[in-house]
Amino acid sequence: MAISTILNDRGTVVAVRGSVVDVQFPGKLPPIYSLLRAGASGEVAIEVLSQLSDSRVRGIALTPTQGLARGTAVSNTGAPLKAPVGNSILSRMFDVFGNTIDRLDTLTDVQWRSIHAASPQLAQLAAKSELFETGIKVIDVLAPLERGGKAGLFGGAGVGKTVLLTEMIHNMAGHNEGVSIFCGIGERCREAGELRSSMIAANVLPNMVMVFGQMNEPPGSRFRVGLTALTMAEYFRDDEHRDVLLLIDNIFRFVQAGMEVAGLMGQMPARLGYQSTMATELSELEERIANTSAGAITSIQAVYVPADDLTDPSAVHTFSHLSASIVLSRDRASEGLFPAVDILQSGSQMAAPGIVGDRHYWLANEIRKTLAEYEDLKDIISMLGLEQLSSDDRRIVTRARQLERFLTQPFFTTEQFSGMKGKTVPLKDALDGCERILNDEFQDTPESAFYMIGLIDEIKTPGEVAHAT
């Protein structure tokens, strides 16, 4: 009986097309999501995605398939892909299989859990909304984050998504009693090494886990690495009752990997070539990120926007899951206004009087109103000059340009490049500074005095600014 069971768990490769592998089984077929191993030492990992008939399954390889041929023996592990969980995974770096890739000692004292799990039930979710301060002025004032919520960083290539994520890790991990988990989907191997080095330098690695599916790995691996990181985050939330900061860079590459997998599996594409199952696949990941009675997983996700087009289906579907959206602007980046947050396009569901308070809500609206009026005046200024504006309009322009520069901030993670010491600013101080600017307290102060400062009290007098320049 045992010999028969073993034989039924073994199959044979009947077709290999790139990362797509068809396997024939003489007995009972392995369920969907089962992990198969092929090759002499099981070096090729295959995840079952469909059952073609009563004797054949089709899967996607999570590792390169070089050397795999028809007739190669395949074994069914009898379980889906699993991730290691436990306190010993802290300060370590993993791949999609839970293997350590930091060249340190092998893991001990860990449990292994399936990466496929259901999202928390509605009765388990916490109903109370709380603010999650980052210490970054423009985000805390105009797009406040929710504890246990999901925030998206939207922007094209080279506008500062990864730098902003790294700064949030630095600001939060130091005084956050929870755990930070960084998930790199489709990252360059250089970025993984640099991130680990910077986390060691900032002394935040002991309470952090890093999981990477690099861009040179097969699409199946990049498609599942997000679920591996999420499984680790759920352990700390549900078993350890700790708050978790889950940073994903880049959620678009999760969608992109799913599109590649769907194309390889022969599925009919939908709009702009995206997979027809994109909404479902994204929901299976996003809905597991939640604030429960046991703890909270707060997620900040970088979202690459193809061609800076916010109507792209990947951006639209991601927007629907977020409680806050932080849009990065190439125009602001070109002006040197970092973080390059587009204030008029960014927003948060938390920016309501009942949550942030009447004063914060009023100030945020006044800032947006001032910057929107300045945006309308830019065409007149470019054609006729600032001198042709009325005195009221000139005051609006002065306020807007001072606010734009006050909402810039030197980062700890860019000290070696900028030469400016990084700063964190409490929400109360950021609101006080914006209120004083809106009240025209600094009407005669040059706008350059507001650039890359922390507190409003750091502003130099006109004489000091002239001497410095």
Side-chain angles (χ1 to χ4, degrees), residues 255 271-272 274 278 282 309-318:
V255 174
R271 184 177 167 225
L272 296 184
Y274 288 102
M278 177 174 61
L282 196 58
D309 179 15
L310 292 174
T311 64
D312 187 88
S314 65
V316 170
H317 281 284
T318 304

Side-chain angles (χ1 to χ4, degrees), residues 401-420:
R401 292 180 67 86
Q402 288 177 347
L403 283 168
E404 281 185 334
R405 281 146 186 80
F406 176 65
L407 293 174
T408 62
Q409 191 166 337
F411 282 175
F412 290 96
T413 52
T414 58
E415 283 182 0
Q416 56 183 323
F417 308 112
S418 65
M420 292 181 283

Side-chain angles (χ1 to χ4, degrees), residues 338-361:
F338 293 103
V341 176
D342 189 321
I343 295 170
L344 298 179
Q345 291 200 61
S346 303
S348 171
Q349 296 175 8
M350 301 295 288
I355 299 174
V356 299
D358 291 334
R359 176 173 177 256
H360 185 166
Y361 178 73

Side-chain angles (χ1 to χ4, degrees), residues 163-370:
V163 172
L164 196 53
L165 279 185
T166 309
E167 183 71 7
M168 289 183 183
I169 294 174
H170 181 279
N171 290 357
M172 300 311 300
H175 54 83
N176 180 23
E177 295 180 356
V179 176
S180 295
I181 296 180
F182 184 93
C183 176
I185 305 177
E187 287 291 279
R188 305 166 185 85
C189 60
R190 170 185 58 79
E191 292 177 334
E194 289 176 353
L195 178 65
R196 189 170 187 275
S197 298
S198 62
M199 294 302 103
I200 292 174
N203 198 30
V204 296
L205 193 63
N207 284 316
M208 188 177 177
V209 183
M210 287 181 280
V211 188
F212 287 94
Q214 298 172 33
M215 61 169 54
N216 65 326
E217 296 179 8
S221 175
R222 287 181 272 119
F223 190 45
R224 294 305 186 203
V225 71
L227 299 183
T228 298
L230 188 52
T231 303
M232 297 174 177
E234 287 173 330
Y235 165 80
F236 287 108
R237 180 191 66 187
D238 300 334
D239 292 44
E240 298 285 335
H241 303 291
R242 300 171 71 177
D243 283 355
V244 182
L245 179 62
L246 175 63
L247 301 115
I248 301 177
D249 187 7
N250 184 310
I251 198 68
F252 168 77
R253 302 205 187 282
F254 169 79
V255 174
Q256 191 178 46
M259 179 170 61
E260 293 178 48
V261 169
L264 290 167
M265 294 294 292
Q267 297 176 10
M268 184 69 71
R271 184 177 167 225
L272 296 184
Y274 288 102
Q275 66 273 36
S276 57
T277 54
M278 177 174 61
T280 302
E281 292 165 356
L282 196 58
S283 296
E284 287 173 351
L285 175 73
E286 298 283 9
E287 292 305 308
R288 289 169 63 180
I289 301 170
N291 184 5
T292 69
S293 54
I297 299 177
T298 303
S299 178
I300 302 170
Q301 305 168 7
V303 185
Y304 168 70
V305 180
D308 293 346
D309 179 15
L310 292 174
T311 64
D312 187 88
S314 65
V316 170
H317 281 284
T318 304
F319 262 124
S320 64
H321 292 280
L322 305 176
S323 57
S325 300
I326 302 165
V327 180
L328 301 182
S329 162
R330 197 173 300 280
D331 291 339
R332 285 179 64 85
S334 65
E335 294 175 23
L337 301 175
F338 293 103
V341 176
D342 189 321
I343 295 170
L344 298 179
Q345 291 200 61
S346 303
S348 171
Q349 296 175 8
M350 301 295 288
I355 299 174
V356 299
D358 291 334
R359 176 173 177 256
H360 185 166
Y361 178 73
W362 179 84
L363 281 172
N365 280 345
E366 284 298 308
I367 293 169
R368 292 181 193 279
K369 178 183 174 184
T370 301

Side-chain angles (χ1 to χ4, degrees), residues 25-78:
F25 283 89
K28 184 180 179 182
L29 289 183
I32 303 296
Y33 299 145
S34 293
L35 185 65
L36 312 180
R37 290 284 182 178
S41 56
E43 66 273 11
V44 180
I46 304 165
E47 186 180 54
V48 176
L49 291 186
S50 67
Q51 297 176 336
L52 301 178
S53 66
D54 57 358
S55 62
R56 183 178 294 191
V57 297
R58 177 169 291 171
I60 192 81
L62 306 182
T63 54
T65 57
Q66 283 89 345
L68 197 63
R70 285 184 293 178
T72 303
V74 177
S75 61
N76 176 16
T77 64

